[in-house]
Amino acid sequence: MHRLITSGLMFGGLFHVAAPALVERYNRALDHLTGRRTELEDFHVDLSGFSPEIGDEFEDMDYLNPGGCNRQFILLSTRQADAPLLEMKFSNSADILREFIAANEAQLFTLTARDAVAGELQNSVWSVADPERLLDIRRVTVEADTTSGTVRDAETLDALIRRFRTEPDAWWDDVLVAKMIDLARRTGDVTRAPVTFENPSFEAQDFWTSHHGGLYVLRSVPKPAILARAMDREILGDLPVHALSDRGAVAGFLRDNALAQPIVEGRGPDAVDILREKMDILAIDALAQGGHLPETPDPRALRRATTRHADALPPAFHSLARVLSWAEGRGDWPRIDSDDPAYFHTLRGAPGPLRDKVNMMLAEIGPEDFRQLHICHKSAFYARYAAMPEMWKAWVANNLATGYAGQTADVWRRLYASDAVPRMPKVPLREGWPIRREGPWD
């Protein structure tokens, strides 16, 4: 993984904790949540406050997520909102944390100036050892406070103030007044600067989870279903379960719920560039595994190797080549249905709240597109990277470092913004074809 780390492709964008005061605040929060402290004097944390260095120190990458069900978090700064979420078990955890920080930015800015904010993303279940328990997850509640209990004290003070204002004899209650003064010393004036958190509870209808081999629970669509990599279909309740390897079933699910659209939107230079990039990526993946790549990453050398070893290229490469010929005006529109190996490489998530989850699913279905896998499904990318030969790693790290790392926003927007109306030719269904084998543009 060293190539990825030095290229900023792994553990990039983390929040650096180096000041002794921040380290001590982190340790107080860590002790509050887990009963442990770190001996490290500086380290990096992600969106949730998880540190890969501390995970290595503890030999426990789940030290803030025991059981992988109710993730704990430590906030030292609102700038953590810009950091990625590592060791993700549920896809909605990052969105919930970022929304929580955005909704409470002013309060968090004030609180983290003096203390760490620690808390937990509480699902409605405590364990997902039984796969069917995943279906009981409907909402996620954010429980958060400083290590000194500022929010709790503020709530208590607020209740005492209401009592003081409404009870006729409260002016003469010395005990009540003393409690209010003592709490106000710790919380400040909660009547002018309330110390409360907004939006503490979030819907969890749709999510990906790494548990039980990895699966997608999508319930907010007209035809809900579970899509799983490896799962016994009979133990997940009443929802239909589709295997990700069942290309027709997945294609039908995406079509029936209008969740996908073509990644190229018509002829032109943009479509040509996207298709050429995808073809190069598929060529690198196939040639590396066959031992046919040059030792040094170079575009011209890749073109020569692609020509010389065309028989080693996957069928998806040749299907995309036919689409490229059409996009360049050199050929007819090709028919690509769900049985074609290139089918899912021609799609991206449609606009809407499930766009990112669909892109994640498409990346998992077509992992040979390592750029899409890195952008949309990092945990799957890192697992595949670790298992691949060194030549593949060198080429992949170079490709991502030169073609993606320095322009992440532009690349993401060009590939996955998906806010344009497709302008693709209409192709009638071939007679006798089942509906589930429709192409993406029918």
Side-chain angles (χ1 to χ4, degrees), residues 228 230-237 239-246 249:
M231 178 62 61
D232 184 341
R233 301 182 184 203
E234 297 180 357
I235 60 176
L236 275 174
L239 282 183
V241 180
H242 304 311
L244 291 179
S245 58
D246 188 340

Side-chain angles (χ1 to χ4, degrees), residues 352-398:
L354 296 183
R355 179 193 61 191
D356 293 346
K357 294 178 181 64
V358 172
N359 284 329
M360 189 177 188
M361 184 194 308
L362 293 171
E364 187 171 356
I365 293 172
E368 56 274 12
D369 185 342
F370 55 78
R371 178 180 63 179
Q372 177 163 295
L373 198 65
H374 180 266
I375 295 172
C376 301
H377 200 329
K378 281 189 169 51
S379 59
F381 172 82
Y382 295 142
R384 191 165 193 261
Y385 183 94
M388 296 300 276
E390 286 300 313
M391 183 176 292
W392 184 94
K393 293 178 181 178
W395 273 80
V396 167
N398 178 76

